[in-house]
Amino acid sequence: MTVLDPRLRNINAAMLSNSTYNRTYNDYSRGMLQNKIDEEFYNATDVFTIQEEQTPGMLDWVNIDVRITHVLSDKNTSDKKNDDWRQLIFKDIAHNYALGVRYFFDNNYWLTVQSDYYHYPTASATIRRCNNQLKWYDSTGILRQEPCIIDDKIQRYRNEYNQYIITYEGYITVLCQLNKFTKDIVINQKFIFNGQAYKVLNIQNYFNKTTFGDDAPLLTLTMNRDMNNTENDDLADNIANNAYRVTPSSTPTIGNYILPDVTSILQGDTQQYSVFHYVNSVPDSTTFTITASGVSSNYYTLTVVDGNHFNVTNLQMSTTKLIVTCTNNTDQSTIQISITLKGLW
Amino acid sequence: MQYNIIAHLMQNNEDIWKILRYNDPDCLNKPNLTMNQKASLIYSGQPISTPYRVFMSAIDDSFEEQVSLLRIFPDLIIPRSRSVADITFVIQVFSHVKCQYLSNYTNRTVVLMQNVLQTLNGVDTIPGLGKIVFDRNANSYDRASLSITNNRNFTGYSIVLSTFTT
């Protein structure tokens, strides 16, 4: 029970508090508040168990109990959709929360977009539902998928008529967590949302959590409408430049294999190949007869090292492909590799 | 045509590639680039074009760095007959104004222009092309002009050379 007479505050604090922890009246007061919340938290009808991400970017979830309340009025949401916004009220008033922290519930990712972190007696945050995903292949060829929020409004959308060909413009704002994956997003990078291509025009990664830190929790991307490339974009899975992903090389199991699967050689370069017959993923002693065709021998040099190894040197660019055929000397089966003799680049 | 001209520049000039590769005033004193290093500066259809410095087309990506660029296009083809034509092609060399001053008291874009002319003018060994000239008597369109600008921070030269080919 809080003592209302200010003259008795210190007496009360000294009598009721843990002397090793509640060293000040403020500590005592916060302890009382936490006790009160602990007593009554689960009486609320809006308490739910949701998942909270522990490490930015890792989607490593831990269950927590929170109150989930409305943020926007049902009747005054303007362009914002009421169900995209919620407030979380944490049971622990010292709960470790911050901008950029992600949650998962109701089959949606949610991103913390507002917080009352500094010197506020209770812990609560405004979260926003992630309504799409940024998908891209990173520099190692791994598919990255990051939940994001595409803002409700599209800006300055129009057809650009003053050109030889009419093109469409329109600007959107995309918000996501800034983490070790999204920090690699660069200007001009293309993304596809539900079949529509957008290109990154501006990156805001500088709203730091602390004045002197390089610790911005959120990434805001401004994107302009771009164009689909039906050859390179994976429009079904919404991944731009799909053709540039790294395709894992096939692991030999059984049969004839030429490795590595390098199908183009720059002018002046030499590529080494091996050809083996595999049984249970292990190469056996079978040798091959190796021949080349398709291009005049003025354009390349084929050097057969032994029955299992050969080198191809590109002497000059060719518009037709070099075909190297390896014939299994045991069963006469063949395997081929088509090699593009490229120019200087 | 564009490939063969760029290949000729790769095989017969070093300063152009050092200027394109290095953005500091001392770029000309750096080691020559290997052929692979030169090739790595040439754009060949990658998803993002801004890491590259040599282009055979216009591009629609926005640059963030103070760099130097070279672009090459066929420009004007005037047929003399059904089988022969006068061809002009344009080489654009331009760079950010803050990196144009070189340590040898020259201008980066001027040095680029000089090297392009020095390496290509009078050459008649490029496959698929006749003799390349920078000669107003041969083609009245030949010229170099300080006409490249984005009205903000990039300037450079548009160099028109010509050839006569079948």
Side-chain angles (χ1 to χ4, degrees), chain B residues 19-20 23 53 66-70 94-95 99 108 112:
Chain B
I19 289 175
L20 294 173
N23 302 318
R53 301 292 174 260
Q66 298 176 355
V67 296
S68 303
L69 303 173
L70 185 151
F94 51 107
S95 60
C99 64
R108 182 179 287 265
L112 274 172

Side-chain angles (χ1 to χ4, degrees), chain A residues 16-222:
Chain A
L16 299 178
S17 65
N18 178 341
S19 60
T20 60
Y21 178 68
N22 293 331
R23 284 171 295 184
T24 67
Y25 181 74
N26 276 345
D27 286 340
Y28 160 74
S29 184
R30 281 193 288 270
M32 292 292 285
L33 175 60
Q34 184 65 66
N35 289 340
K36 187 72 174 171
I37 291 173
D38 289 346
E39 285 173 11
E40 300 185 3
F41 189 78
Y42 288 100
N43 293 337
T45 57
D46 53 8
V47 175
F48 299 94
T49 300
I50 66 172
Q51 292 179 299
E52 183 181 57
E53 188 179 36
Q54 301 302 295
T55 313
M58 299 312 293
L59 303 175
D60 49 350
W61 305 108
V62 165
N63 286 346
I64 60 168
D65 291 340
V66 294
R67 291 182 60 194
I68 302 176
T69 66
H70 278 268
V71 174
L72 302 180
S73 160
D74 290 343
K75 295 175 181 173
N76 187 26
T77 57
S78 183
D79 291 320
K80 295 173 180 172
K81 297 174 184 65
N82 192 23
D83 260 343
D84 285 347
W85 299 76
R86 285 294 181 268
Q87 184 183 41
L88 301 182
I89 302 172
F90 301 98
K91 182 183 171 190
D92 182 356
I93 63 172
H95 185 81
N96 186 22
Y97 70 104
L99 285 176
V101 173
R102 296 189 290 200
Y103 300 89
F104 186 82
F105 59 91
D106 290 349
N107 203 30
N108 279 296
Y109 292 103
W110 300 74
L111 180 66
T112 305
V113 294
Q114 298 283 354
S115 58
D116 269 326
Y117 189 73
Y118 296 107
H119 302 295
Y120 197 74
T122 57
S124 64
T126 301
I127 58 173
R128 195 170 169 187
R129 191 178 67 85
C130 296
N131 54 19
N132 217 307
Q133 290 187 92
L134 295 159
K135 293 183 178 180
W136 76 100
Y137 287 103
D138 70 10
S139 57
T140 62
I142 295 173
L143 176 63
R144 299 294 177 198
Q145 302 181 78
E146 286 288 324
C148 69
I149 300 163
I150 303 175
D151 210 4
D152 301 292
K153 275 192 172 179
I154 183 168
Q155 310 275 343
R156 290 185 282 160
Y157 56 90
R158 61 174 182 170
N159 276 337
E160 179 56 75
Y161 288 104
N162 191 25
Q163 304 290 338
Y164 288 102
I165 183 170
I166 299 169
T167 56
Y168 176 78
E169 277 197 338
Y171 297 82
I172 59 173
T173 303
V174 179
L175 185 66
C176 67
Q177 183 188 65
L178 180 53
N179 57 40
K180 65 179 182 180
F181 304 119
T182 58
K183 74 177 176 51
D184 291 334
I185 293 173
V186 296
I187 284 182
N188 300 313
Q189 190 167 342
K190 189 165 87 168
F191 292 96
I192 295 176
F193 302 115
N194 295 27
Q196 300 186 34
Y198 281 88
K199 187 159 82 168
V200 177
L201 190 69
N202 190 49
I203 293 175
Q204 290 177 288
N205 60 357
Y206 38 64
F207 301 124
N208 288 335
K209 196 186 299 182
T210 55
T211 305
F212 305 105
D214 183 12
D215 52 3
L218 294 171
L219 180 69
T220 305
L221 307 168
T222 305

Side-chain angles (χ1 to χ4, degrees), chain B residues 95-125:
Chain B
S95 60
H96 192 279
V97 293
K98 287 287 173 57
C99 64
Q100 288 191 0
Y101 295 92
L102 301 182
S103 60
N104 64 355
Y105 304 99
T106 57
N107 178 296
R108 182 179 287 265
T109 55
V110 173
V111 176
L112 274 172
M113 176 191 64
Q114 290 171 329
N115 274 275
V116 167
L117 291 175
Q118 176 186 322
T119 309
L120 293 177
N121 189 16
V123 169
D124 60 0
T125 57

